[in-house]
Amino acid sequence: MSDLGYLAKVPEVLTAWPWMWALVSLCVGSFLSVVVTRMPLILQAYEEGREPDISLSHPRSRCAGCGAPLKLWQNIPLLGYILFGRRAPCCGAKVPFRYLGLELSALAWGMVAWVAFQGSWPSILAWSLFGWFLLAGAVMDFQTRWLPDNITLGLLWTGLLYAAARDGGGLAVHVWTVAATYGVIA
């Protein structure tokens, strides 16, 4: 079997067991913390006509209190909270509850999708992505009163691709529904 054949099995393997999907969901929740913190800053820099000095992957995560880079093991979902509570290990500053809240919310949504669609990895993946996009959008909207296109278009494409995979030829109805909804909103 070619290397691509093995890669095609990754989603199926990740959704096969609830503990595996729980771990994936926690990691997504941890990444969502980065997204909701950095994406508004990145988009604001572009809006102001300047190149952002951060990205979603650079620089490494830092302590909100003192700015010290966090070690990889300090970024493991829930482990930091279990080991250090709501205090940063480097300076003792309070860690915002939203980090734990995002991880637990992503975990909850991923597990609801896993239970609802057990055995259907495309449905588990699509509904998890849908919920995670909604979660990131809700937190960013709450913090900034701004819903970036990266989030709303991600929701749109997740829904359309899921509909295409599920309904096959019925995709046209979903595309027209999206177009009509957009027309009403605009």
Side-chain angles (χ1 to χ4, degrees), residues 4-19:
L4 290 178
Y6 290 114
L7 288 176
K9 295 281 186 188
V10 168
E12 186 176 349
V13 170
L14 289 177
T15 58
W17 300 284
W19 62 268

Side-chain angles (χ1 to χ4, degrees), residues 60-94:
R60 287 181 26 202
S61 296
R62 299 187 175 278
C63 173
C66 67
L70 297 176
K71 294 176 177 60
L72 181 61
W73 63 271
Q74 292 171 327
N75 272 331
I76 296 174
L78 288 181
L79 181 62
Y81 186 80
I82 291 167
L83 293 177
F84 308 112
R86 291 203 48 214
R87 298 276 174 203
C90 47
C91 66
K94 274 191 127 175

Side-chain angles (χ1 to χ4, degrees), residues 4-143:
L4 290 178
Y6 290 114
L7 288 176
K9 295 281 186 188
V10 168
E12 186 176 349
V13 170
L14 289 177
T15 58
W17 300 284
W19 62 268
M20 182 77 84
W21 196 242
L23 184 61
V24 169
S25 298
L26 282 171
C27 290
V28 167
S30 183
F31 180 68
L32 288 181
S33 295
V34 173
V35 170
V36 302
T37 301
R38 295 183 181 189
M39 187 178 280
L41 299 172
I42 294 167
L43 295 175
Q44 184 174 0
Y46 282 127
E47 193 172 278
E48 293 170 355
R50 59 184 173 83
E51 195 67 27
D53 55 351
I54 59 172
S55 71
L56 294 180
S57 62
H58 183 76
R60 287 181 26 202
S61 296
R62 299 187 175 278
C63 173
C66 67
L70 297 176
K71 294 176 177 60
L72 181 61
W73 63 271
Q74 292 171 327
N75 272 331
I76 296 174
L78 288 181
L79 181 62
Y81 186 80
I82 291 167
L83 293 177
F84 308 112
R86 291 203 48 214
R87 298 276 174 203
C90 47
C91 66
K94 274 191 127 175
V95 176
F97 180 74
R98 79 166 172 186
Y99 294 118
L100 178 63
L102 276 167
E103 289 177 7
L104 293 176
S105 297
L107 170 64
W109 188 270
M111 295 317 297
V112 165
W114 193 90
V115 168
F117 299 102
Q118 189 174 354
S120 172
W121 71 262
S123 295
I124 294 169
L125 186 60
W127 280 99
S128 293
L129 285 172
F130 175 73
W132 295 332
F133 273 114
L134 278 178
L135 182 59
V139 171
M140 276 193 275
D141 185 34
F142 180 76
Q143 290 177 344

Side-chain angles (χ1 to χ4, degrees), residues 126 157-171 173-175:
W157 285 109
T158 300
L160 285 177
L161 290 173
Y162 179 69
R166 198 159 177 245
D167 294 343
L171 180 62
V173 172
H174 298 292
V175 171

